[in-house]
Amino acid sequence: MIKINLLPLKVRKTKVVVQLTTYLIIGLSVLALLLVLQLLSLLSQTRRLDAQRLKLQAAEASLADQLGPVRHLAEQEKKQGELKRLAGSLTVPQAVWISILDQLSEHVQPDMWLTKLTSQQAKETDPPQLTLEGRAYHKISVADFLTGLEGSGRFRDVMLESLAEVSADDQVQVQFKIKLAYAPAPAPAEAKP
């Protein structure tokens, strides 16, 4: 079948323009409708998010009361860590002095006593340089003490500074002064030929 359009050209053009305009209006209406639906969807999501935000704020406010003690505990834990670190730094020097006094007490003879102990250190990490002063009833006791210190491995550079006889309580006593260095670890034994 053959179609023949007998309408004049102007009417045909007008009909095409009307048809295109109609399609354009319908398309724009559908687009506008889709945009309105999208806008309504975004508004709904915004309301939902606002409701969740309000719930979270309420939960945060209720947790704020519980967060105070937790923060307090965290601060106490931090202070405790600082105190432990400080105590640790103090116990190392204490341990050194306990070790020094233990080592000295092993070598003190029964008829001798120490009257003064002083120390000097160039740096905190250096072993202490000690000066011992004391008295004994016999020079042999001082000699045995020196021998014990030299053989202990914990003391090095043991040197008798002075040795003098003094009178005390109607008896003759020996007053002595010894300089030595403390070695925190025993010195390795030297190989003997």
Side-chain angles (χ1 to χ4, degrees), residues 102-121:
D102 281 345
Q103 292 292 322
L104 287 174
S105 68
E106 287 179 13
H107 302 290
V108 172
Q109 300 300 311
D111 64 338
M112 103 179 343
W113 60 98
L114 300 176
T115 57
K116 188 174 182 182
L117 170 66
T118 57
S119 73
Q120 295 176 350
Q121 281 180 289

Side-chain angles (χ1 to χ4, degrees), residues 9 16 19 40 45 51 73 77 79-80 119 138 156 172:
L9 186 63
V16 169
Q19 218 175 17
L40 290 175
Q45 285 179 354
L73 287 174
E77 210 170 278
K79 287 179 184 177
Q80 225 172 20
S119 73
H138 307 285
R156 54 186 164 81
V172 176

Side-chain angles (χ1 to χ4, degrees), residues 78-153:
K78 185 179 176 184
K79 287 179 184 177
Q80 225 172 20
E82 290 173 5
L83 288 174
K84 281 182 182 178
R85 184 183 47 78
L86 180 63
S89 69
L90 293 176
T91 56
V92 171
Q94 272 184 337
V96 168
W97 282 104
I98 290 171
S99 177
I100 289 172
L101 293 175
D102 281 345
Q103 292 292 322
L104 287 174
S105 68
E106 287 179 13
H107 302 290
V108 172
Q109 300 300 311
D111 64 338
M112 103 179 343
W113 60 98
L114 300 176
T115 57
K116 188 174 182 182
L117 170 66
T118 57
S119 73
Q120 295 176 350
Q121 281 180 289
K123 298 179 196 170
E124 276 188 37
T125 56
D126 290 345
Q129 303 294 320
L130 305 173
T131 303
L132 293 172
E133 293 181 27
R135 289 190 178 194
Y137 287 119
H138 307 285
K139 291 181 182 178
I140 295 172
S141 296
V142 176
D144 290 343
F145 182 59
L146 287 170
T147 304
L149 291 176
E150 289 172 345
S152 74

